[in-house]
Amino acid sequence: MAPAPILAALLLLTVRVGVGRGVAANAPPPTTGWLRGAHATFYGGADASGTMGGACGYGNLYSQGYGSRTAALSTVLFNDGASCGQCYKIACDRKTDPTLCKPGVTVTVTATNFCPPNSALPDGGWCNQQRPHFDMAQPAWEKIGSDISTGIIPVIYQRVPCVRRGRVRFMINGHDYFNLVLVTNVAGAGSIKSMDVRTSDSTDWMPMARNWGANWHSMAYLSGKRLSFRVTITDGQTLVFTNVVPAGWTFGLTFASKLQFK
């Protein structure tokens, strides 16, 4: 198995409902054909408790709605966190070794973590810089692998649109002049291309920058102001979440919108 990824601190957050208005571009869903040459290991235990946190910053994957159908991606797939939230359909590659596979079964996982190269091995191991590899939550791996004692299976995979329950959510952490916004529960492409913020006392959109994983930051003073977000995901869809964060907000809260990507 690949080494256990570093887990982020879990946050217990209160959810509030905001108001939004959407403008969606007509864009095709993020699908690819089946790709070969990858492998899958597993981590996190039978209950997937060891997968919480992770390099995308989602925290408790159960409370965030991702559950145990998740995976840590190798370097080439993780793309420095730009792939956080993407969904992949995975099947065991019976053409390579049918004895390792459950026949006719696929599982769809969300990218929630990074599987780093193993510096103790000359080639970096399964999660080296070049190999496409999925270190899956154990319950997800068991859906397609026939024998857990093997530890690793060859797989085929394809990028697919994400299907989510509920709407997009925004979690705000940080402090004055450093606003760290975690965007979760994103359907469609699942991953975010760009993000802007606007306060209720301005007509100007201020660009945000990816900080790490699915966290985006702004260095402007936003504390307590009513906020809107404009989010573009990697298939080109854009939604405007108008006044999703009410005036008087404080750090450490999550705000649920009324919008979702297609």
Side-chain angles (χ1 to χ4, degrees):
M1 291 188 291
I6 299 174
L7 301 181
L10 301 180
L11 299 173
L12 299 177
L13 303 170
T14 303
V15 177
R16 292 186 179 178
V17 176
V19 179
R21 181 181 64 204
V23 180
N26 293 322
T31 56
T32 62
W34 286 104
L35 301 173
R36 312 192 94 87
H39 289 78
T41 47
F42 60 87
Y43 77 113
D47 61 355
S49 59
T51 66
M52 301 299 110
C56 289
Y58 293 132
N60 189 315
L61 300 178
Y62 282 107
S63 63
Q64 294 285 20
Y66 298 111
S68 61
R69 300 294 186 265
T70 64
L73 306 185
S74 61
T75 301
V76 68
L77 294 175
F78 190 67
N79 194 21
D80 291 328
S83 297
C84 286
Q86 291 180 358
C87 294
Y88 293 85
K89 182 184 289 187
I90 303 174
C92 187
D93 189 355
R94 290 176 55 81
K95 289 186 177 181
T96 299
D97 190 341
T99 65
L100 300 177
C101 305
K102 291 181 179 178
V105 180
T106 64
V107 63
T108 298
V109 298
T110 299
T112 60
N113 209 345
F114 173 53
C115 183
N118 186 346
S119 59
L121 299 176
D123 67 347
W126 289 107
C127 285
N128 68 14
Q129 298 284 345
Q130 295 80 33
R131 286 193 180 106
H133 187 87
F134 298 88
D135 197 18
M136 303 169 66
Q138 184 175 328
W141 189 97
E142 290 180 330
K143 288 290 183 181
I144 57 175
S146 62
D147 185 358
I148 196 172
S149 67
T150 63
I152 186 169
I153 54 175
V155 296
I156 58 176
Y157 66 98
Q158 61 175 303
R159 176 99 179 272
V160 295
C162 299
V163 178
R164 304 290 183 216
R165 293 183 179 180
R167 309 303 186 217
V168 179
R169 296 188 294 268
F170 300 89
M171 178 171 58
I172 307 180
N173 291 293
H175 49 78
D176 291 347
Y177 296 103
F178 180 73
N179 307 274
L180 191 66
V181 181
L182 173 67
V183 188
T184 62
N185 205 48
V186 178
S191 51
I192 297 171
K193 179 181 180 180
S194 64
M195 185 171 172
D196 307 286
V197 62
R198 184 177 65 193
T199 61
S200 56
D201 59 358
S202 174
T203 59
D204 297 327
W205 286 102
M206 295 176 285
M208 302 180 71
R210 186 188 306 280
N211 189 278
W212 64 281
N215 288 276
W216 292 71
H217 77 265
S218 170
M219 306 296 284
Y221 183 79
L222 306 176
S223 299
K225 298 180 180 181
R226 186 181 295 115
L227 303 179
S228 301
F229 295 113
R230 182 171 62 188
V231 179
T232 299
I233 57 176
T234 50
D235 65 1
Q237 292 186 71
T238 297
L239 287 177
V240 176
F241 300 85
T242 304
N243 297 333
V244 67
V245 179
W249 62 272
T250 57
F251 292 103
L253 298 180
T254 295
F255 303 93
S257 75
K258 293 183 178 180
L259 302 176
Q260 183 57 275
F261 293 95
K262 296 179 180 179

